[in-house]
Amino acid sequence: MQKKLIVAIVSLFVVSSLLVAPAIQGVPPSYSNQLYSLYGDWLQEKPVGLAVFHITPTYNGKPFNGKLILTVINYSSDPPRVILVKRITGYSNVAFKIERIPVGIREFTVVENGRLVQKTRTVFREREYYVGVFGYVNGKLYSGGKFVVFEPQKPITQLDVELRLSAKSVPKPNKSNEKNYIESLKKMDVSLKSSNGIIYSSTPVETKTEIVHLPAGVIHAAPRTKISWWVSGGFLVNGYGTDQKTALWYDSFDQYTFGYLMPPNPHEWEKSGKDPAVSSVTTWVTLDNTNVGQYRKEIVIAHVRYQLNAYVYSSWITGLTITQYVLKPTRITGLSNGHVSIENPPAVPSYADTINQNGVAYGFEPRTSGPEWMLKEVTFTFGLNYEGPDAEVSITLYRQAGGSSYGAPFVVVYDAVGAKYWYKNDDRKTYEFFVHW
């Protein structure tokens, strides 16, 4: 009898907690079912969490209140998958369950009461989603999107997402074409779903890749020394490497075209945030000054694979059919030597340290956000536009590397015992390294 009473009390406590959970957690009441389902998963010890995006579409810096279709694509899965499609008007909330996978315990420096303190915590694998909107309003197609990459430190992650829209004039949607588009989609080897009167491809209807050469970092070598710049694929080569894959952050892009698989305009791509390119190899390049009597600087080049995905959405209510193109960095497949220039001997700063051993690795530190750094003009030719390139864009490398799941590059210095070394601005997160006699 006493056991039954205890079980009844515990059950009542759990039910009561579930009833007030949405209000306590700040989750919109319309997503109570997701939260209740989440608690059920936690009771089964599943590694899951909840993501809540507070989405604000803007146009010319002001909130946009026209009718739009919102899409969320899970880029943490392979292949990427459309997990949510809904109609919105102005500001909107979306919530969905996510995997929350621990990848280790790390040490972090935090500020407490004005002092730097070392603390450890469990870190979780980043989640990566593309959030996009589009809609036909008064003769124009409004569209925009953004990649959202985050570590789900807490069981419930809430993020504000501003989607900056662009607009272009397009013909009025024609409902008579919608059936033909859907029949064409059915003939392709893709998964079709429907939501709110919208038929869409839940996986890409087309995927293309291309490798481009982009800046990765900078090294400054003294005469008669050698500096190697490394990225890690999560394994050792020649005794160097780390168990974490290196990640560098570059621009991603999107474009929305009016109609079924209409090719993109090479000059109408919009930036959709920055995204990590993760190294699939452990490799290096070397600035060799062994027989050089001058100080030299080199821009290291990364071979970055960009992936283009196309998704199709067709509304049987309005006849609006849109092709959504998403272009993003995915992998670092190699390194090569970039531009090398002779420079004047740099002034040795007071924070420089001394190299005491040959062949020692000096690591950079991960950075979860960073400013724009180096820019490269790039042309992509995927074959979608038969008469020319598909994208002509400017790609930015950010002073940002690694993350909770990934690490930063590192350098190895040879033949420089007794020389001075330092990181630019005494900051291991600049990804720029100096050696000076």
Side-chain angles (χ1 to χ4, degrees):
M1 183 67 181
Q2 187 176 8
K3 285 185 177 180
K4 289 184 178 180
L5 180 60
I6 292 174
V7 170
I9 292 173
V10 170
S11 299
L12 180 61
F13 174 76
V14 171
V15 171
S16 300
S17 299
L18 291 176
L19 288 174
V20 300
I24 292 175
Q25 300 292 350
V27 177
S30 56
Y31 295 104
S32 299
N33 290 339
Q34 284 93 327
L35 197 55
Y36 299 154
S37 174
L38 185 68
Y39 283 152
D41 289 334
W42 289 342
L43 291 175
Q44 299 177 53
E45 299 184 348
K46 293 182 179 179
V48 295
L50 191 72
V52 182
F53 292 171
H54 305 285
I55 297 168
T56 304
T58 62
Y59 181 67
N60 288 338
K62 298 179 180 179
F64 183 82
N65 294 315
K67 294 181 179 180
L68 298 169
I69 294 173
L70 169 70
T71 71
V72 178
I73 305 174
N74 180 7
Y75 268 87
S76 298
S77 67
D78 186 18
R81 189 170 296 274
V82 180
I83 61 170
L84 188 149
V85 176
K86 65 178 289 189
R87 298 179 186 273
I88 66 172
T89 302
Y91 173 85
S92 181
N93 295 299
V94 294
F96 48 91
K97 284 199 292 187
I98 59 174
E99 288 185 317
R100 192 166 173 261
I101 301 174
V103 293
I105 296 176
R106 306 253 168 79
E107 189 175 82
F108 294 85
T109 302
V110 298
V111 178
E112 285 189 356
N113 299 321
R115 299 177 59 188
L116 295 178
V117 179
Q118 297 292 324
K119 292 206 168 184
T120 59
R121 69 167 177 83
T122 301
V123 293
F124 297 86
R125 183 174 299 161
E126 286 98 342
R127 305 298 301 172
E128 183 177 353
Y129 296 88
Y130 173 81
V131 184
V133 290
F134 61 88
Y136 178 83
V137 181
N138 297 328
K140 291 185 177 182
L141 173 63
Y142 290 84
S143 62
K146 183 178 182 179
F147 270 95
V148 181
V149 184
F150 62 94
E151 179 198 356
Q153 292 185 28
K154 298 179 180 180
I156 298 177
T157 301
Q158 301 203 49
L159 297 171
D160 294 322
V161 182
E162 179 186 357
L163 300 179
R164 298 176 181 177
L165 307 183
S166 61
K168 58 184 176 184
S169 298
V170 295
K172 187 176 180 179
N174 188 342
K175 291 185 68 173
S176 63
N177 293 329
E178 189 261 345
K179 288 184 179 180
N180 295 331
Y181 295 149
I182 292 176
E183 288 302 317
S184 297
L185 281 173
K186 289 180 179 178
K187 294 177 182 178
M188 303 180 73
D189 186 22
V190 295
S191 173
L192 294 181
K193 291 188 176 182
S194 64
S195 175
N196 295 132
I198 304 157
I199 305 293
Y200 62 94
S201 55
S202 63
T203 53
V205 298
E206 197 156 18
T207 297
K208 303 281 188 179
T209 61
E210 188 171 328
I211 294 176
V212 294
H213 292 181
L214 300 173
V218 179
I219 45 182
H220 303 260
R224 302 178 303 281
T225 66
K226 290 192 297 186
I227 303 178
S228 294
W229 174 284
W230 288 71
V231 293
S232 176
F235 52 89
L236 299 181
V237 172
N238 296 338
Y240 296 103
T242 66
D243 59 353
Q244 279 189 304
K245 295 182 178 181
T246 300
L248 299 174
W249 291 68
Y250 298 94
D251 284 324
S252 59
F253 304 86
D254 60 23
Q255 187 175 154
Y256 292 72
T257 62
F258 184 80
Y260 173 75
L261 286 182
M262 290 297 293
N265 185 316
H267 308 294
E268 292 184 356
W269 290 90
E270 300 286 345
K271 289 190 177 184
S272 55
K274 50 190 174 183
D275 217 35
V278 181
S279 182
S280 58
V281 293
T282 298
T283 188
W284 72 96
V285 292
T286 302
L287 176 56
D288 190 349
N289 266 5
T290 302
N291 299 312
V292 178
Q294 296 166 307
Y295 286 83
R296 295 199 298 170
K297 166 187 173 181
E298 178 176 14
I299 298 176
V300 178
I301 299 299
H303 304 175
V304 181
R305 187 181 74 181
Y306 265 73
Q307 180 173 292
L308 174 69
N309 296 124
Y311 307 85
V312 176
Y313 304 84
S314 189
S315 169
W316 58 263
I317 297 175
T318 64
L320 176 65
T321 297
I322 293 297
T323 303
Q324 177 190 57
Y325 291 99
V326 180
L327 177 61
K328 70 180 294 292
T330 58
R331 295 284 181 227
I332 297 172
T333 63
L335 297 174
S336 59
N337 294 98
H339 177 70
V340 177
S341 58
I342 297 172
E343 61 181 2
N344 293 325
V348 179
S350 60
Y351 49 77
D353 209 340
T354 303
I355 296 173
N356 296 312
Q357 188 176 345
N358 190 47
V360 172
Y362 297 89
F364 294 103
E365 290 184 0
R367 187 179 206 161
T368 55
S369 64
E372 296 181 355
W373 186 11
M374 291 185 277
L375 192 69
K376 177 74 179 292
E377 302 291 330
V378 174
T379 296
F380 291 94
T381 305
F382 297 108
L384 301 176
N385 285 292
Y386 297 106
E387 298 180 357
D390 298 301
E392 294 180 350
V393 294
S394 297
I395 299 178
T396 302
L397 167 67
Y398 294 81
R399 286 194 189 270
Q400 179 174 342
S404 64
S405 306
Y406 310 119
F410 62 95
V411 297
V412 179
V413 183
Y414 305 90
D415 306 326
V417 174
K420 297 292 185 180
Y421 78 92
W422 66 93
Y423 301 87
K424 184 179 178 67
N425 299 330
D426 197 22
D427 185 354
R428 293 173 182 261
K429 301 173 184 176
T430 57
Y431 315 112
E432 191 164 351
F433 188 85
F434 294 79
V435 172
H436 187 289
W437 287 113

